[in-house]
């Protein structure tokens, strides 16, 4: 774990497949409480929704957590005593006014708000947040030695072997003293 400065802390966790990414989401959920803002970023297909599924499952919320791309925001009510999960996909939002129109700040204190594609769009909602970047390795097929491939077609099933690099940055006083190494 590296310290960026007194109020920013970062840990990088490597996962080996979708199940491990969901398990990381479950470990993240154990740290979350009502009022928390979580921003997920990464390329299309990187695993943001897979991570969100792990968070939602561990939070014991109603409904299957899936990408709310066309709905934009979906509330998953808590089945137990924990907070609701507000899952937002800001991909189609192009302005701060569109984000503002969602009224996320009205439910922020009572729920965990998780925003995919929220980078440069929702930071103003809270000085305290987790910024999570999900990246997948590029440049080699699974099991590749790094040498040029032999002639013949590539087996595209091996292009994405499920490995991910997940960078979690805790910002603000809410996260001061939180041991992010429990995520590794």
């Amino acid at each position: 774990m590296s310290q960026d400065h007194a109020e920013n802390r970062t840990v990088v966790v490597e996962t080996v497949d979708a199940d491990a990414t969901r398990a990381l989401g479950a470990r993240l959920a154990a740290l979350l409480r009502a009022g928390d803002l979580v921003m997920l970023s990464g390329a299309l297909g990187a695993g943001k929704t897979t991570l969100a599924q792990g968070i939602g499952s561990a939070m014991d919320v109603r409904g299957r957590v899936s990408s709310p791309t066309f709905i934009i925001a979906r509330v998953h009510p808590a089945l137990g005593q924990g907070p609701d999960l507000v899952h937002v996909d800001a991909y189609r939002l192009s302005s701060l006014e569109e984000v503002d129109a969602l009224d996320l700040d009205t439910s922020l204190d009572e729920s965990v708000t998780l925003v995919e594609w929220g980078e440069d769009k929702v930071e103003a909602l809270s000085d305290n947040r987790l910024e999570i970047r999900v990246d997948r390795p590029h440049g080699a097929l699974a099991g590749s030695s790094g040498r040029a491939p032999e002639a013949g077609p590539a087996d595209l099933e091996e292009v994405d072997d499920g490995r991910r690099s997940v960078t979690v940055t805790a910002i603000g006083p809410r996260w001061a003293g939180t041991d992010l190494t429990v995520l590794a």
Side-chain angles (χ1 to χ4, degrees):
M1 182 171 70
S2 63
Q3 296 268 59
D4 295 327
H5 62 72
E7 293 193 20
N8 289 6
R9 298 172 350 130
T10 300
V11 64
V12 178
V13 180
E14 305 294 330
T15 62
V16 296
D17 58 22
D19 288 338
T21 301
R22 284 186 198 92
L24 172 59
R27 293 192 302 277
L28 276 161
L31 299 176
L32 299 174
R33 64 183 187 214
D36 285 341
L37 173 63
V38 180
M39 291 174 32
L40 295 177
S41 63
L44 190 64
K48 296 178 296 296
T49 301
T50 302
L51 188 67
Q53 289 170 343
I55 292 170
S57 178
M59 286 179 62
D60 194 26
V61 297
R62 185 178 356 185
R64 181 178 180 274
V65 174
S66 58
S67 181
T69 301
F70 297 103
I71 297 170
I72 299 179
R74 179 178 288 131
V75 177
H76 294 276
L79 294 173
Q81 296 299 313
D84 294 345
L85 174 65
V86 176
H87 185 198
V88 179
D89 186 327
Y91 181 75
R92 296 188 181 283
L93 303 179
S94 58
S95 70
L96 295 175
E97 290 79 22
E98 289 178 313
V99 172
D100 213 26
L102 294 175
D103 286 329
L104 296 176
D105 53 344
T106 60
S107 62
L108 192 64
D109 290 340
E110 303 91 39
S111 59
V112 170
T113 303
L114 188 147
V115 184
E116 296 187 35
W117 301 99
E119 194 171 31
D120 297 328
K121 296 177 184 172
V122 298
E123 290 88 342
L125 288 175
S126 179
D127 292 333
N128 297 291
R129 63 187 173 274
L130 289 180
E131 293 182 357
I132 301 173
R133 175 152 192 90
V134 183
D135 293 299
R136 61 181 178 192
H138 297 284
L141 297 177
S144 171
S145 64
R147 296 182 298 229
E150 297 177 18
D155 182 355
L156 294 180
E157 288 183 21
E158 294 183 14
V159 170
D160 184 354
D161 65 0
R163 293 177 298 135
R164 299 294 188 261
S165 178
V166 182
T167 304
V168 180
T169 302
I171 297 174
R174 148 65 175 108
W175 297 100
T178 302
D179 182 9
L180 294 180
T181 62
V182 301
L183 300 175

